[in-house]
Amino acid sequence: MSQEVYLTTPIYYVNDVPHIGHAYCTLATDTLVRYWRKKIGKENVFFLTGTDENSQKTVDAAKASGKDIPEYLDEMAGIWKSTWDQIGVSYDDFIRTTEKRHWGVVNEVFKKIHGKGDIYKDTYVGKYCTGCEAFIKDSELDEHGYCPHHKRPPQLLEEENYFFRLSKYQDELIKWYKNQPEQLMPDSRRNEVMSFIKSGLEDVSISRETAEFGIPLPIDPKHKVYVWFDALINYYSALQGTKYEHFWESAQHIIGKDIIRFHCVIWPAMLMSAGIELPKNVFAHGFFTIDGVKMSKSLGNVISPLELSEKYGNDALRVGLLSSFEFGNDGDFSLAHFDDFYRTKLSGGVGNLFNRVITLFHKLWDGKKPYIEKSQKSGEGWEERFSQALEKKRVKEALDVFFEMVDACNRHINDVQPWKLDPPDARASMNKLLTMLVTLTDMAEVILPESVVKMRKMLGDDEKVGDAEILFERK
Ligand code: ME8
């Protein structure tokens, strides 16, 4: 069977509109998807994103907006979807957890886990943070007794809950991670998850008695399925009953480090219990701050991806975000740095290079090309380094290879000054540059999906280069 790749992003909460943190994860996944589509063919790749809608946060946000819940959900899901469309996210499917297709599969998975004897009823007494949509232990609260992420006091709850026997899967999970070290990336995250599992797993509540909205629990409809239990199943439910079911065997989840325990402890244990194959890989990326400060509504420093895309274009948004720091690490984002990156690397780097080379061809030989072997490579292993980085999900490293190559070309033009050379030497030098531009254009198909159209036009046909165009307007 041919190789297949199924990549997913988290499904995002719809209590607010997308910010650049969400766009960061979604564009990184989209970039990996584009790489694989190019390498193994579009039909062998499936890309899922969507929205997480059965949560208390959503109910609260709908109430605050004065709308009824379904109307609010449709409006918000529409905003998320159209944001991804506007910034060039090429998802194959967009799942909403309020869809019937999802509820049906959640019911089936729940019944399998119940059938295995892994669900029981008990009273839960504890603290719940609606921001995290999770129970929170006293030891995890900050010095004021607040949730450290949402800076709010959690809600004290005492209710009848159904529990999932997570503790039963502790040894199986340890064995599974030991046997498949590649399963969870980067390494630092695997170590974190392993020590969490080894410290002892407690059973988790998977229903809410007081939730106002959500999927009724199949065995006791007064209760609602806990939002995380329902949400994780989206990756599986989106494929069920479609011709894409077989993609499940190649599932790879891209997530932020904040939701690692749900994806790397609870989710695999749920699948083990239900007798469903486990995902092939989970990659947890880091979080970024804005000018050194956590991005938050109350601080007023939330940046919309649409704002950046309108000013600088979609390709700049993508590579500007993804080259800020290595995928997997934490880092910082600043508008000043982004603007500088645009001017030096895009407008002054790639744009300038393509413009100069094509203009020189017109000046020196009326646009006529030298003969280039179709299979000719640019040498120095750029393509290999670019591919290897993306296969390891080292997105920034791949972008660095691209920009290193752009810089090498620009340096070559400055140092060699082909227009001053004798015609045969000038031909050889321009031949080399054109070959490198072809390689850069191949890479751009993955990382600069909008500009690549102009780049291809500039490269022209077998005989002549096209017209020189502006790739990145000066700002
Ligand atoms: O957690 N830096 O959804 P969510 C980088 N619905 N990435 C960031 C970020 C930042 N500052 N802020 C957010 C949920 N993200 C659940 C997921 S999946 C079955 C359910 C990204 O809307 C990061 O990828 O809170 C993080 O994991 C995700 O947004 C959380 O999105």
Side-chain angles (χ1 to χ4, degrees), residues 10-13 19 21-22 24-25 52 228 231-232 234-235 255-256 258-259 263 285-288 295:
I11 47 168
Y12 302 103
Y13 289 126
H19 59 54
H22 307 118
Y24 175 74
C25 183
D52 191 353
W228 267 103
L232 289 162
N234 91 86
Y235 302 126
I255 58 166
D258 54 329
I259 51 181
H263 284 80
H285 67 78
F287 260 47
F288 56 81
M295 188 166 38

Side-chain angles (χ1 to χ4, degrees), residues 411-424:
R411 254 196 328 269
H412 176 90
I413 303 177
N414 295 345
D415 294 349
V416 173
Q417 304 190 346
W419 57 93
K420 289 190 178 161
L421 298 175
D422 293 338

